[in-house]
Amino acid sequence: MILDGKCPTGDIEEAWDKHRFGIKVVNPSNKRKFKVIVVGTGLAGASAAASMAEMGYQVETFCYQDSPRRAHSIAAQGGINAAKNYQNDGDSVFRLFYDTVKGGDFRSRERNVYRLAQVSNSIIDQAVAQGVPFAREYGGLLGNRSFGGAQVSRTFYAAGQTGQQLLLGAYQALARQIGLKHVVHHNRTEMQDLILVDGQARGIVTRNLITGEVKSHMADAVVLATGGYGNVYYLSTNAMGCNVTAGFQAYKRGAYFANPCYVQIHPTCIPVHGEFQSKLTLMSESLRNDGRVWVPRSKDDVEKPAGDIAEADRYYYLEERYPAFGNLVPRDVAARNAKYVCDDGLGVGHKVGGERRAVYLDFADAIKRDGEDAIREKYGNLFHMYSKITGENPYKVPMRIYPAVHYTMGGLWVDYNLMSNVPGLHVIGEANFSDHGANRLGASALMQGLADGYFVLPYTIGNFLWSERPEPVTNDCAEAKEAVAQVKGRITTLMDIKGSKPVDYFHRQLGKVMYDKVGISRTGAGLKEALEQIPAIREEFWKNVSVPGKANSLNPALEKAGRVADFLEFAEMMAHDAHDRDESAGGHFREEHQTEEGEAKRNDEDFSFVAAWEFKGVGVKPELHKEPLSFDYVKLSQRSYK
Amino acid sequence: MNLTLKVWRQSTDSDGRFETYEAKDVSTDASFLEMLDVVNDKLEGEGQEPIVFDHDCREGICGACGFLVNGVAHGPETGTTICQTHMRRFSDGDSLTIEPWRASAFPVIKDLMVDRTAFDKIIESGGYVSVRTGAAPDAHTMPVNKHDADDAFNAATCIGCGACVAACPNAAAMLFTAAKVSHLGMLPQGQVERYERVASMVDTMEEAGFGACSNHGECEAVCPKGVSLNYIARMNRDLVMAKLKGL
Amino acid sequence: MSWFTNLYASSIGKKLIMALTGLIIFGFAVGHMSGNLLIFLGPDVFNGYAAALKGNLPLLWVTRLTLLAAFPLHIFSAIQLKRLNAAARPSNYGEWQPQASTRSSRTMIYGGVVLLFFIVYHILHFTLHIQQPEFAALTYNLDGEQVHGAFEMVLMGFAPTGMGIFHVVLYLAAMVALCLHIYHGVWSAMQSLGLNHPKYNDLRKRVAAAFAFVLLIGFSAGPLLTIAGVTKAAGEAFTKQSVDQVDTDATVRR
């Protein structure tokens, strides 16, 4: 089936304004008659819930954490882009749009991206008015920095805690609405299923993580703001609780899942140091401005202390392979090359699972050139964090880094109104697929989450509500009872397996397959192997997982088991998507498709589309629906970093 | 390294007690929570219920984790959360007492997990600027003195973990409340509601059952973000002004 | 006054009252200590000072009434805060390691109780003369005027007898308690009153420590030096000196 994103036509600069005028508006007295469920209260969810409540809708919010303030948006360090042109360096809405489409390697929707760039300025205004303490210059105006290789300084930031400050802004707006009783909020409550009534998304089934109570909540529309699926890799920079369950259950109820193979891998993370490792920590990639990346030339040297390896025996592979950009090649190129040298047995550091997966990031030359104080001035906090985690002094010995999964561009398919193919089901933030294409620019995640939540969804959801005017439904309807029973059944099944292996055992196994075969670099053959391995792990899981404790009380093992069960099915869809996308694009790199320079080589002829997958049964290949992409404003081009 | 853990175990319907566990062959590179993960894996393998604790981001910013290790909130490492404390900070053979935050406003849910919704209630009662989406003027219409902006930012770095309450002999939430009152009260955007905000947030804080400030300074000492005690003095001033205005 | 009851209803208001009344009492203590030190200038000066204080009825009663108001408020707020704090932390930790609080800050309530009992004893002792009724009858001829023999009373109160030794020990112990109470109290009062400024914040604790130390030394000097005989000797020396001075003046005039 050919999907239609229902984008407005005509001049792109006026498209959003015209569209907003064209869609249905709910008048103020009618808004209070509609109830909207928002699942997830990070940047996108909190901002959407607060904005809709301010407009007069009844809103009910859910999060698995003990407070909306803890959503993982809080961990974003770098900043948020906006086309303010405060630095007078020629930035504009069009330039931000242009950079984002190009950064997404021409796999995003032009009109969505243009809208994103348009509303970016309002986000900054809104955040400042909320009291978000962005960095300022001595004149009292906002400071900006250049980020992620952008040629203009358009990134607004609050030290290294921009995500935290923006989330607290949205959280405070949400808290105000909760205080005013316009929003009913549920902490420590996790969505387990989506309820469809007459084909429309009308409710969710949740499990109260404290009491274990499974129940349904009904509304006139459902908004998922449930984040990304990076934890399918077991180790990622995501928080421990991040999961795909909400989106995946919606997929199983008929929503299409788009572009799951687009995953962003961040090149500068602290490497794995043991089997017990639970998560990976990101360090700003600004480190590559002064650090030199290398590994020993010989396998015999990998165990030696870095200082004992002579200059001639060091392989500065980025500088040798990419003389023009050297250590500053883009994220995906840096990440891929780190994998290749480690695959060749040149990795350094701790041996975990029989292999060493780390490369050196060496500041010795920079310290010699600029002095230790200058380096401390620039990177002091990062060096401090590194030494705290690893126990090593990076001023004396080189850092060790390795890429880690960081952000997922794929997500539930949505149209221009951010509504999925299931009427009433809206998806915002990282949970949808819409704006980043095949790769995301630095400082664009915060922008997209808040754009969706503050300035897009609150308008577009009205179109659905007023054109459909859904009939009232209650928790007693057959569909709700069926969904509740299904969730309870799945919990009972999990509890009754009483196997011998903890949940994490399976999650680790899955993560390893995903990193090896569906990770930084992929091959058709490897993906075929993954498609055999993933179902095998899943089968073993359903036979042999051990979930102690009780179903009707606080049970972290049960929570994990449910999430991993979904990851085990989801991973297979990811592998299908990665396999069928027989081209390289952005974060999806197929070794068969690269330029002579080792760059991702797109196939615009055959793959200029969004791949939206429809569930056809567990273990059955999902059905592919294509949404064709056209580029009228940004000319298709191939990047080169040689 | 090998450790002896004395861990507080409590389910909602009991009074709780310390249980002793041996943690064997702990890697010095593991984080404190990873050490507990390993202990839990073993407990689960033996069919026992794992030790429950709150955690999420494990990089010291979400504020979910937190308990006392040997009588210190977030453990012996200053300026950080327990998730960012690594086992090399301890020695082989150490005995560690692990205990949840204790405050009547933070009832224990299970083991080391407590209910901190009282913090949310405080924010809900006024910890915001009342600006509806779309009502904001251009960000540059209101310049903010850099010193004030930086000071507001320092107050705003609070992660709401509750260590301040846990460490305070009075279980007071003054540092948490003062941080938000100061963050917004020092910015021009927060001036309009400055006094209503402090009056309402302090009222809610006290209704929630937190104690009074005795100026011990324990909160500041354990705060993973180093939020300063000076914000409490600032809040006191603002509250007196608010009361003089009859709020 | 509704704003005041409103403010007092919050713990911050109670702390404010603690701080204000504490500072009043502290101010009185500084004055009291300064007056005490006059004892080393001999009976003429000390008894004259004592007589002047008692003779200035407005000053005497304003001070007494202020203190009579400050003490109950201070104590009442303390009790209310203590109860509030105990309710906020109903069960204690199995293990708790202080990180920043001091012995001084953690013993405020106990020190306060000790000081309360001490002050009552002190008033019974030197103001109402209950323990040693002979104090009441002491008189002193100050330039022909009969005044109370306060100097002699102190000498007797801290005489090297059993009773005297007991008093010296009691007073010194109380002064240690006072010192601890003042150290945290003065700093804490500044914090409660919102007196902070980035420039002077470090100074606040040092000022509090200095005051606490000065009060400890100033108040302890009386009992300690008296029992050691220094007060008497100094008094005699001063008396002699002033007599000599008069003689010299007379000589010059002559």
Side-chain angles (χ1 to χ4, degrees):
Chain A
M1 187 174 88
I2 299 297
L3 278 171
D4 180 8
K6 300 193 199 94
C7 290
T9 51
D11 193 357
I12 199 166
E13 283 158 24
E14 291 167 11
W16 172 232
D17 284 345
K18 280 192 174 161
H19 182 76
R20 258 194 306 179
F21 182 73
I23 59 178
K24 297 273 195 316
V25 174
V26 186
N27 84 39
S29 62
N30 283 327
K31 283 199 181 93
R32 74 176 77 97
K33 296 178 188 156
F34 292 113
K35 181 172 157 193
V36 180
I37 281 175
V38 180
V39 187
T41 48
L43 279 181
S47 57
S51 303
M52 289 190 292
E54 286 164 5
M55 293 163 89
Y57 292 114
Q58 304 170 46
V59 179
E60 200 164 353
T61 52
F62 299 83
C63 71
Y64 75 77
Q65 299 92 343
D66 73 326
S67 162
R69 67 179 297 147
R70 309 210 195 281
H72 200 56
S73 311
I74 206 162
Q77 299 169 0
I80 177 166
N81 285 333
K84 283 282 195 186
N85 192 30
Y86 281 160
Q87 303 307 318
N88 197 28
D89 49 10
D91 200 10
S92 62
V93 167
F94 196 88
R95 186 181 292 277
L96 176 55
F97 154 70
Y98 180 92
D99 287 354
T100 308
V101 169
K102 230 178 135 192
D105 219 2
F106 301 94
R107 291 294 175 265
S108 51
R109 262 190 216 138
E110 265 194 339
R111 271 153 210 274
N112 275 56
V113 178
Y114 195 87
R115 175 176 66 188
L116 174 67
Q118 270 178 310
V119 302
S120 67
N121 291 342
S122 307
I123 298 170
I124 302 303
D125 298 340
Q126 184 65 27
V128 166
Q130 288 170 341
V132 170
F134 284 124
R136 285 179 186 266
E137 295 164 352
Y138 281 100
L141 301 179
L142 294 164
N144 289 114
R145 59 186 171 198
S146 161
F147 197 76
Q151 282 163 325
V152 290
S153 287
R154 63 160 74 102
T155 304
F156 294 78
Y157 63 100
Q161 282 137 274
T162 319
Q164 179 197 27
Q165 294 309 318
L166 286 169
L167 179 67
L168 292 181
Y171 159 70
Q172 286 163 203
L174 174 62
R176 175 168 167 251
Q177 295 303 316
I178 296 172
L180 293 168
K181 309 220 182 314
H182 298 158
V183 173
V184 177
H185 175 70
H186 306 267
N187 286 328
R188 299 193 195 266
T189 306
E190 189 165 9
M191 171 173 162
Q192 299 288 306
D193 204 352
L194 180 72
I195 300 170
L196 301 188
V197 180
D198 298 333
Q200 291 185 345
R202 298 300 302 277
I204 61 170
V205 180
T206 59
R207 179 171 180 272
N208 180 320
L209 301 183
I210 302 299
T211 63
E213 186 193 13
V214 174
K215 65 184 274 199
S216 58
H217 304 265
M218 308 307 283
D220 298 300
V222 175
V223 178
L224 299 189
T226 47
Y229 47 83
N231 273 348
V232 69
Y233 290 86
Y234 183 62
L235 290 180
S236 77
T237 64
N238 283 6
M240 303 301 288
C242 293
N243 67 79
V244 77
T245 293
F248 194 72
Q249 293 302 331
Y251 160 77
K252 288 177 96 168
R253 291 277 178 191
Y256 298 161
F257 209 105
N259 298 338
C261 77
Y262 293 153
V263 172
Q264 184 170 75
I265 302 200
H266 201 287
T268 50
C269 297
I270 299 177
V272 178
H273 46 65
E275 295 285 357
F276 50 81
Q277 185 117 9
S278 61
K279 81 155 274 158
L280 297 171
T281 305
L282 178 88
M283 290 186 298
S284 166
E285 61 181 332
S286 64
L287 287 170
R288 286 195 286 138
N289 289 332
D290 282 298
R292 296 181 72 193
V293 178
W294 64 276
V295 288
R297 281 196 189 279
S298 158
K299 284 183 195 175
D300 304 333
D301 286 347
V302 297
E303 282 177 51
K304 279 192 193 163
D308 294 355
I309 301 172
E311 190 63 25
D313 297 331
R314 298 179 176 192
Y315 180 21
Y316 293 94
Y317 58 89
L318 288 179
E319 295 172 20
E320 288 183 25
R321 290 178 188 173
Y322 306 92
F325 276 74
N327 296 298
L328 291 175
V329 292
R331 284 180 178 180
D332 54 325
V333 179
R336 241 172 4 247
N337 281 282
K339 175 186 183 324
Y340 294 153
V341 293
C342 293
D343 285 349
D344 291 343
L346 299 175
V348 295
H350 296 277
K351 203 167 195 171
V352 181
E355 49 182 14
R356 296 175 204 279
R357 294 227 157 252
V359 300
Y360 288 125
L361 179 63
D362 199 336
F363 289 85
D365 287 344
I367 290 173
K368 216 180 286 168
R369 185 185 65 224
D370 302 337
E372 193 173 314
D373 288 343
I375 296 299
R376 182 170 285 119
E377 174 79 14
K378 272 193 199 168
Y379 307 113
N381 57 340
L382 293 168
F383 276 43
H384 178 68
M385 176 173 88
Y386 181 85
S387 70
K388 228 164 55 179
I389 292 173
T390 62
E392 289 178 347
N393 178 357
Y395 294 101
K396 301 283 174 230
V397 297
M399 283 186 175
R400 285 193 304 266
I401 57 165
Y402 197 69
V405 168
H406 178 51
Y407 187 89
T408 55
M409 282 75 70
L412 289 173
W413 183 87
V414 289
D415 62 15
Y416 190 73
N417 283 341
L418 302 182
M419 187 167 84
S420 76
N421 58 304
V422 173
L425 178 68
H426 294 72
V427 191
I428 56 177
E430 193 178 349
N432 74 23
F433 87 105
S434 65
D435 297 355
H436 302 301
N439 210 350
R440 179 180 64 76
L441 286 184
S444 281
L446 300 179
M447 173 172 70
Q448 184 234 336
L450 290 176
D452 287 359
Y454 282 132
F455 296 110
V456 181
L457 179 85
Y459 306 128
T460 60
I461 200 168
N463 187 55
F464 166 78
L465 291 170
W466 197 243
S467 41
E468 294 296 325
R469 279 172 250 182
E471 292 293 317
V473 285
T474 67
N475 290 310
D476 296 328
C477 70
E479 292 87 346
K481 284 183 169 163
E482 179 268 336
V484 168
Q486 193 167 322
V487 168
K488 284 183 175 166
R490 184 165 103 137
I491 290 170
T492 312
T493 311
L494 281 169
M495 299 295 300
D496 286 349
I497 298 171
K498 297 195 195 309
S500 61
K501 296 265 170 42
V503 177
D504 279 350
Y505 166 83
F506 299 97
H507 200 175
R508 276 195 196 100
Q509 281 204 327
L510 175 67
K512 183 152 173 38
V513 171
M514 295 305 284
Y515 262 110
D516 287 350
K517 309 275 166 59
V518 200
I520 302 170
S521 178
R522 304 151 180 190
T523 63
L527 289 162
K528 279 224 169 76
E529 283 169 37
L531 283 168
E532 283 165 19
Q533 289 166 338
I534 295 164
I537 300 170
R538 188 168 65 226
E539 204 170 310
E540 165 80 3
F541 172 89
W542 285 102
K543 271 190 203 140
N544 203 12
V545 73
S546 153
V547 184
K550 289 182 225 124
N552 60 356
S553 70
L554 180 66
N555 189 339
L558 178 61
E559 293 163 26
K560 273 195 292 191
R563 294 167 191 166
V564 172
D566 288 330
F567 278 134
L568 284 165
E569 291 177 27
F570 172 78
E572 197 175 342
M573 171 179 42
M574 260 181 97
H576 278 301
D577 187 42
H579 179 267
D580 286 11
R581 186 165 285 279
D582 199 6
E583 65 156 354
S584 294
H588 169 64
F589 188 81
R590 284 284 296 267
E591 290 180 21
E592 304 93 319
H593 303 288
Q594 47 185 312
T595 63
E596 282 170 21
E597 301 155 344
E599 280 294 332
K601 195 171 156 197
R602 291 193 320 267
N603 175 353
D604 293 326
E605 191 96 349
D606 300 319
F607 289 98
S608 191
F609 62 79
V610 174
W613 298 92
E614 182 183 359
F615 180 69
K616 288 288 167 190
V618 178
V620 179
K621 186 175 176 183
E623 187 184 337
L624 175 67
H625 300 283
K626 294 180 183 175
E627 180 198 336
L629 294 170
S630 65
F631 295 89
D632 307 325
Y633 290 84
V634 187
K635 219 179 100 211
L636 287 161
S637 63
Q638 174 73 46
R639 63 175 195 179
S640 172
Y641 290 94
K642 278 277 178 179
Chain B
M1 64 205 276
N2 295 319
L3 301 163
T4 307
L5 309 180
K6 246 177 81 188
V7 185
W8 184 263
R9 301 303 303 264
Q10 174 175 353
S11 46
T12 23
D13 48 0
S14 77
D15 285 341
R17 69 205 171 280
F18 283 106
E19 299 259 358
T20 305
Y21 303 94
E22 300 296 326
K24 300 247 187 259
D25 302 323
V26 176
S27 162
T28 50
D29 285 329
S31 71
F32 201 94
L33 299 188
E34 285 167 348
M35 182 275 291
L36 286 182
D37 288 343
V38 174
V39 172
N40 275 346
D41 262 1
K42 186 162 171 282
L43 287 176
E44 283 183 39
E46 292 163 358
Q48 296 185 56
E49 288 207 37
I51 301 160
V52 173
F53 55 92
D54 261 319
H55 65 106
D56 205 21
C57 80
R58 295 206 177 186
E59 47 189 277
I61 191 76
C62 77
C65 70
F67 41 75
L68 274 78
V69 177
N70 285 348
V72 184
H74 285 305
E77 187 114 10
T78 53
T80 197
T81 52
I82 192 64
C83 69
Q84 285 286 290
T85 300
H86 287 77
M87 297 314 292
R88 68 181 73 88
R89 190 72 181 63
F90 302 92
S91 314
D92 187 34
D94 274 0
S95 176
L96 307 180
T97 306
I98 302 173
E99 218 175 334
W101 293 166
R102 292 199 189 282
S104 54
F106 285 170
V108 172
I109 294 170
K110 194 173 182 184
D111 300 344
L112 307 173
M113 182 188 273
V114 300
D115 181 356
R116 288 170 290 200
T117 42
F119 270 8
D120 289 322
K121 294 267 176 284
I122 294 174
I123 300 295
E124 283 159 22
S125 70
Y128 46 72
V129 174
S130 298
V131 52
R132 52 161 55 224
T133 303
D138 183 86
H140 269 181
T141 37
M142 210 182 265
V144 183
N145 176 282
K146 181 169 167 54
H147 176 265
D148 293 341
D150 289 350
D151 208 0
F153 170 77
N154 287 336
T157 54
C158 165
I159 58 174
C161 63
C164 47
V165 174
C168 176
N170 308 338
M174 293 286 173
L175 195 63
F176 170 81
T177 310
K180 189 49 67 190
V181 163
S182 299
H183 158 211
L184 298 174
M186 286 186 290
L187 291 172
Q189 290 83 358
Q191 292 310 305
V192 176
E193 298 164 289
R194 177 169 170 185
Y195 297 107
E196 284 88 350
R197 176 182 306 119
V198 66
S200 168
M201 287 177 75
V202 167
D203 279 355
T204 310
M205 172 185 81
E206 304 202 318
E207 278 163 24
F210 293 105
C213 183
S214 292
N215 303 312
H216 288 296
E218 291 290 343
C219 51
E220 181 187 53
V222 299
C223 176
K225 297 294 153 187
V227 173
S228 165
L229 213 54
N230 295 330
Y231 297 126
I232 299 180
R234 207 190 158 283
M235 173 169 76
N236 292 342
R237 271 202 312 267
D238 272 10
L239 185 78
V240 173
M241 277 304 291
K243 295 296 177 187
L244 282 171
K245 287 169 185 280
L247 296 168
Chain C
M1 283 302 269
S2 74
W3 68 267
F4 179 80
T5 47
N6 209 350
L7 174 62
Y8 188 81
S10 88
S11 75
I12 292 175
K14 294 184 184 70
K15 286 295 292 183
L16 191 77
I17 294 303
M18 288 290 287
L20 288 173
T21 53
L23 287 179
I24 289 170
I25 298 165
F26 166 72
F28 169 77
V30 171
H32 187 356
M33 178 205 74
S34 314
N36 283 6
L37 291 176
L38 293 176
I39 199 163
F40 300 114
L41 299 180
D44 275 9
V45 176
F46 191 68
N47 289 339
Y49 160 73
L53 273 188
K54 283 213 169 157
N56 190 338
L57 285 181
L59 177 73
L60 183 70
W61 279 103
V62 166
T63 308
R64 280 182 175 172
L65 289 176
T66 308
L67 288 173
L68 273 174
F71 268 102
L73 276 173
H74 197 75
I75 294 162
F76 188 64
S77 314
I79 293 169
Q80 284 196 317
L81 285 165
K82 182 71 199 164
R83 290 173 58 138
L84 181 75
N85 295 339
R89 166 68 47 73
S91 61
N92 270 325
Y93 289 108
E95 189 179 337
W96 187 69
Q97 291 292 331
Q99 299 298 298
S101 58
T102 56
R103 194 142 294 162
S104 163
S105 74
R106 290 192 303 273
T107 55
M108 287 303 274
I109 190 85
Y110 312 109
V113 171
V114 167
L115 287 171
L116 175 63
F117 279 109
F118 167 74
I119 289 163
V120 170
Y121 188 89
H122 178 57
I123 290 169
L124 295 177
H125 188 198
F126 280 136
T127 307
L128 302 177
H129 313 140
I130 304 294
Q131 292 90 330
Q132 291 169 284
E134 60 272 27
F135 288 173
L138 293 172
T139 56
Y140 184 77
N141 186 338
L142 183 70
D143 292 339
E145 198 184 331
Q146 288 295 315
V147 296
H148 179 237
F151 184 84
E152 193 64 20
M153 174 174 79
V154 172
L155 290 193
M156 285 166 71
F158 301 124
T161 59
M163 175 79 110
I165 292 167
F166 163 72
H167 280 136
V168 170
V169 171
L170 176 75
Y171 277 65
L172 288 184
M175 287 314 108
V176 171
L178 178 73
C179 173
L180 285 173
H181 202 78
I182 290 290
Y183 171 51
H184 182 68
V186 167
W187 179 80
S188 180
M190 290 191 261
Q191 184 77 5
S192 297
L193 290 170
L195 302 176
N196 73 329
H197 186 280
K199 239 176 170 171
Y200 305 111
N201 281 342
D202 290 343
L203 206 63
R204 292 187 300 171
K205 273 197 175 163
R206 271 180 269 159
V207 165
F211 271 121
F213 187 69
V214 166
L215 283 180
L216 174 69
I217 299 298
F219 271 129
S220 304
L224 215 53
L225 296 181
T226 303
I227 200 165
V230 177
T231 308
K232 192 162 181 237
E236 280 166 4
F238 269 103
T239 315
K240 190 164 170 284
Q241 196 188 8
S242 57
V243 171
D244 289 351
Q245 190 71 35
V246 172
D247 285 355
T248 317
D249 287 354
T251 317
V252 171
R253 236 180 279 136
R254 218 179 280 142

